[in-house]
Amino acid sequence: MSRTPAPSSRVVVIGAGIVGCSLADELTARGWTDVTVLEQGPLPAPGGSTSHAPGLVFQTGPSKTLTEFAAYTVQKFRSLDVDGLSCFNPVGGLEIATTEARWADLHRKAGLAASWGVRGELIGPQQCKRLWPMLDEATLYGGFHTPDDGLARAVLACRAQITRAEQRGARFLDRHTVTGIERADGRVTGVTTDRGTFPADHVVSAAGFWGPVIGAMAGVDVPLLPLAHQYATTAPLPELAGVNDPREEASKPILRFQDRDLYFREHTDRIGIGSYAHRPMPVDPFTVAAFDDSPVMPSSLPFTAEDFAPSWQDSVGLLPALGSSRVAEGFNGVFSFTPDGMPVLGESRELRGFWLAEAVWVTHSAGVAKAVAEWMTDGRPATDIHECDLYRFEDAQRSPAYIADRGAQNFIEVYDVIHPLQPMEAPRPLRTSPFYPRQQELGAYFLEGGGWERPHWYEANAPLTEGLQLPERDAWSARYWSPIAAAEARATREKVALYDMTPLRRLEVTGPGALAFLQRMTSNNLAKKPGAVTYTLLLDETGGIRSDLTVARLAPDRFQVGANSPADLDWLLRHAPDDGGPSRSSEAESGGVQVRDSTSGTCCIGVWGPLARALVQPLTRDDFSHQNFGYFRARQTCLGHVPVTAMRLSYVGELGWELYTTADLGLRLWDTLWEAGQEHGVIAAGRSAFNSLRLEKGYRAWGHDMTTEHNPYEAGVGFAVRPAKGDFVGRAALAGRSEDTESRRLSCLTLDDPAAVVLGKEPVWVDGTPAGYVTSAAYGYTLGRGIAYAWLPATAAVPGTAVHIEYFGEKIPATVAQEPLFDPQMERIRR
């Protein structure tokens, strides 16, 4: 959306912790100098999470976005100093493994570091001991050393950024308690405090664990849970006497003992110990005492020694020198967790001009502030933030009970080894399709996504694995996988299978202005006759891919849109023709356009395979022949007693249809298809087979293979861009671009060893150097070898180029392949 207000826009930031101070610095550096930062406590240490944070900055993790945020935080804080003392101490980081599982995970983490451009090295026990002499190396398998990580001096960084922002015109007002958010006509107008009201065009809640309190004043849900986290400091240790400069405090790397949910850092001659090993301790942000009423500070709660006792014993086991020491002091510090462990960023649609920058740790603070400042001043952040978007959550994930349950579980899992497919354990089941009873009867193995129960394979198909020759898998890739997926993929290629596609988001766009609206919002030409289905893209103004859509024109003024996430609905609602009134919370109905989410009231079955027509044709009086029901066409019909919208689409590369009906008729639709399919050998198939089949066909998955950081020509979906149709969002940015102009490309790789498997996010090495990373991967059961899609430099993205994929430290040979790998002439789909 085009949002470039004049530099005189008045901004009020609520909270002068590390995020608020960083944001004021970033905004004023971009010319927005009318910035007021309000803080309820005294500056520069007002008593929130920043004031007690131990300052650990580890850059590497599964999220590329968070790694980029952390890398910027390191870069920025290293450039800041106060009175000659740097705001960042680059002591490095050391994660150690005392179990085989953790040692394997550190190999995976080293791969992530290579993928995201972070320096890191796996080292042996003796090298670990050289870095941390107090370690008992006999307990170690090894460690992962990251020399550019270190300790952020958060309060010092606040001081430095306050000074810079004030020099550019910002003001910081402490001892101002926010009591209300002013608004008019659906837009924020100011902030009320106990010391007056401050007019504003933009208000940013950077209140940390008080975020839900500020959100309640604005009528905006803030899905985070404050939790207490234990931190203790030892008595002075003889081993550290005279070792560290008191100003620097630390010289050894931050030490993480994740097998026991612990971390350690030096405080001159003492050691600080943080623990996630204790029970979750939720905190009600509405009842936290004010600064002057707190014994120490609002975020520092009394230490509960009994909770820390097991962690002390684990610490002594790792660092035997602690056996002669003790816990000299400790506290339970409050900070924020969300249902998925990611920050909450973005502007409210319900109250325009009200922004959130919440659930942000010191590690990512400057990076988040940069992204939010770019978002406010330029209309978009340079870094893809879909994992952090305020509107990424489903409605079912925003209940207080869900936020509490998942926030507490994320605390427990902070240092756990998490498999990329690992589902949450509770609350489940939460969302189920109408077919759920039949899926249970067939022994569906469910994983979870967006709250939905999603079958990944069916135990009923186990007999179909007889005679299959599949390579053995390592323990990691065998988790959440079954050879049944191969049988289901083969059945789809040879006969016919039913896939539950209900969790895919469905939107309705209707009204006399619907076509014009969608033409403006998407990249392909939708001005086709009713019955046409079109693959198209949602782009931002820079040509970045916000999402990919499948749009069916069901009538002149009625469209069904297959989308990816709640953020797609949010994007369309924000852009829907506005009558000047408040923004709608879940649908738009103005300017001749209505936008509505129909997902929960509908369901979908994908019927795919060479016998799909033989299954569905006898159930309807309409002609489902290729001549009369072509590919990428839609029609409304009845199958048996069930009215359906049938779309001739296939994400698995086989003949078939997506069949939509209302949720109340879903079970009847399943039973109708199941009964009719018995003579054709129909099976139910799951997401595991689906993912393999779609990669064989080269179909992209938004959020994995492409994001806002990629344009259509890089991502290989330039065919969905039609500049000649007229203006649309992102069109100007793509002018003069093509696949030939891009310096990187999403490329198809096949693994040379038919027994090799990778899972995604692994680094890709070209000529001995990390040059890209894997986005999606699966074993291609039809092809008999592993498939990976990866971002590579255009010079390497040439079919036949030899590369290597690093998987748990092993360099696996692979080759860039011409895509699609399966049925390049589209003969199987168009028959």
Side-chain angles (χ1 to χ4, degrees), residues 423-437:
M424 66 182 190
E425 296 180 1
R428 290 183 65 192
L430 183 62
R431 307 177 78 187
T432 60
S433 79
F435 323 128
Y436 186 64

Side-chain angles (χ1 to χ4, degrees), residues 182-306:
E182 302 292 320
R183 71 195 86 178
D185 298 324
R187 184 166 191 93
V188 72
T189 59
V191 177
T192 301
T193 74
D194 58 351
R195 298 175 66 177
T197 298
F198 297 83
D201 303 302
H202 297 272
V203 173
V204 185
S205 177
F209 63 80
W210 284 286
V213 178
I214 301 301
M217 296 179 190
V220 175
D221 290 333
V222 181
L224 69 80
L225 176 72
L227 287 153
H229 160 59
Q230 291 201 300
Y231 193 80
T233 308
T234 68
L237 297 166
E239 292 81 0
L240 295 181
V243 171
N244 295 314
D245 181 339
R247 273 172 58 87
E248 296 289 344
E249 283 198 338
S251 58
K252 296 178 182 62
I254 308 161
L255 179 64
R256 289 209 282 190
F257 182 21
Q258 293 169 303
D259 289 322
R260 289 294 183 270
D261 297 311
L262 294 168
Y263 63 83
F264 305 84
R265 59 151 294 183
E266 295 174 299
H267 292 278
T268 311
D269 60 351
R270 305 165 185 253
I271 291 179
I273 307 170
S275 172
Y276 294 98
H278 55 81
R279 61 190 169 89
M281 304 177 190
V283 175
D284 183 352
F286 291 87
T287 61
V288 174
F291 188 95
D292 293 329
D293 297 328
S294 302
V296 180
M297 64 178 78
S299 65
S300 181
L301 304 182
F303 188 63
T304 51
E306 64 278 9

